[in-house]
Amino acid sequence: MNQTTSLKIGLAVAGTLFLTACGGGSSSSSDATGTTAVAATAPTTSLTIPFAARSGTTSISCDATLTGLGTSGDSAKVRDFAFYVHNISLKTSDGKSITATLDDNSFQDPKYGVALLDFQDKTDSCAGTTKPTNKEVKLKAAVDPATITGIEFTVGIPASTNHHNASTARTPYNRTGLFWAWQSGHKFMRLDVNPTAMVTKLDSTTTPTFNLHLGSTGCTGDAAAGAVVSCTSANRPAVKLDGFKATGATTSTILLDYAKVVAGTNINLDTGSAVGCMSGQDDTDCPAIFNNLGLAHRLGGSTTGTQQVFSIQ
């Protein structure tokens, strides 16, 4: 190796070390002559994404009264209100998709990129004492905040960590109210309300709660015995939002509107099986709700609607 070659190698190594020390990364490409060009990527940025939950103009809380719900227009009190998201990526003005890494805390699992958003501010299905909520996602991404123009995420928990023993799992998977069983896995979204006029069942009796439990259905495989579980209906809504921006370390707020979730559904009438929508493809209370979430449902026709419940505030 001559001195000229050694000098070139030394300069290349020094450049790489400089970019790493600055918190940035690099990518390289070669032209037709074999010359290598090194392009710096954005430094890693910490961001907080606020989430809000409302029903129309009413913020979700255990003390709130939600009005004008569904086809009956009834009012209701919140009972349970929480949902998981994962697979968060940021869109930039040059068309790139930037993968994010979630911080590790009691509401987030960075290994699978899962975060729990929880708006129920009292224990025991809003009948108990004050409890913590979580209305934000904290993450890191190699992106210039000024270039962010959109966000994509998926509601729910990925299949790779959905079917396990939730009672012994780490947070945020160990919430018993958000879990069915090993095979069926977690409730990706649990939005339960108590309508003022109650819920009338097929046998003409009434019950206090209209449930929405979103999760995978048609699952087979014994997860407890180590088998891989597969589900015919994954039921994980994909959300894409434009107009999403970052100002400093905080971004636009992502809003979930419960009134839009139950639009087209009579929350005072249970039309069969378990009360409310339990995600089954034969559940007659699910078609309109699934359509609003952008999910296909066997009883809702062949066309899958575009999700209408999440927006940028």
Side-chain angles (χ1 to χ4, degrees):
M1 181 182 298
N2 57 41
Q3 290 183 340
T4 300
T5 301
S6 298
L7 177 60
K8 290 180 179 178
I9 294 173
L11 289 172
V13 171
T16 301
L17 290 174
F18 173 76
L19 289 169
T20 302
C22 288
S26 65
S27 59
S28 62
S29 60
S30 299
D31 61 19
T33 64
T35 301
T36 299
V38 179
T41 58
T44 299
T45 301
S46 294
L47 294 170
T48 298
I49 303 175
F51 277 72
R54 296 180 182 168
S55 184
T57 58
T58 303
S59 295
I60 296 295
S61 72
C62 289
D63 292 331
T65 299
L66 317 182
T67 59
L69 299 175
T71 57
S72 66
D74 196 12
S75 57
K77 303 289 284 188
V78 173
R79 178 180 166 88
D80 295 280
F81 210 101
F83 58 94
Y84 291 99
V85 300
H86 68 283
N87 196 30
I88 296 174
S89 63
L90 303 171
K91 304 302 174 186
T92 58
S93 54
D94 57 359
K96 293 181 178 177
S97 177
I98 308 297
T99 301
T101 300
L102 271 57
D103 293 0
D104 193 344
N105 60 46
S106 59
F107 288 97
Q108 300 186 175
D109 173 19
K111 181 177 181 179
Y112 294 99
V114 175
L116 172 64
L117 284 307
D118 183 5
F119 295 85
Q120 180 193 326
D121 54 350
K122 291 184 180 179
T123 60
D124 300 330
S125 297
C126 282
T129 57
T130 301
K131 76 169 193 57
T133 59
N134 182 52
K135 303 177 181 179
E136 62 184 22
V137 172
K138 290 184 173 294
L139 55 78
K140 295 179 177 62
V143 63
D144 178 356
T147 67
I148 296 174
T149 60
I151 186 171
E152 295 183 3
F153 60 89
T154 304
V155 177
I157 290 175
S160 54
T161 190
N162 190 35
H163 308 281
H164 56 178
N165 184 359
S167 65
T168 60
R170 60 152 290 168
T171 58
Y173 308 113
N174 58 354
R175 286 273 294 271
T176 55
L178 294 175
F179 189 69
W180 277 323
W182 281 49
Q183 188 180 75
S184 46
H186 290 267
K187 301 169 187 174
F188 303 152
M189 175 179 275
R190 180 171 183 172
L191 313 181
D192 299 346
V193 299
N194 290 340
T196 301
M198 305 281 280
V199 181
T200 300
K201 299 192 290 185
L202 285 178
D203 61 4
S204 298
T205 61
T206 58
T207 188
T209 304
F210 184 87
N211 305 298
L212 168 52
H213 297 177
L214 180 69
S216 296
T217 58
C219 300
T220 57
D222 186 355
V228 175
V229 174
S230 60
C231 304
T232 56
S233 298
N235 296 336
R236 296 182 178 89
V239 180
K240 299 180 180 181
L241 299 172
D242 295 324
F244 182 80
K245 300 177 181 179
T247 303
T250 303
T251 71
S252 308
T253 297
I254 297 174
L255 172 65
L256 169 64
D257 189 335
Y258 179 75
K260 293 183 177 178
V261 173
V262 295
T265 296
N266 188 342
I267 64 169
N268 300 112
L269 182 64
D270 180 63
T271 58
S273 62
V275 177
C277 173
M278 293 291 179
S279 299
Q281 288 295 310
D282 59 349
D283 192 325
T284 53
D285 294 316
C286 285
I289 291 172
F290 268 47
N291 185 70
N292 297 337
L293 290 168
L295 293 173
H297 193 276
R298 184 173 65 85
L299 303 178
S302 58
T303 303
T304 302
T306 302
Q307 80 81 19
Q308 303 166 43
V309 304
F310 288 98
S311 63
I312 301 297
Q313 182 175 329

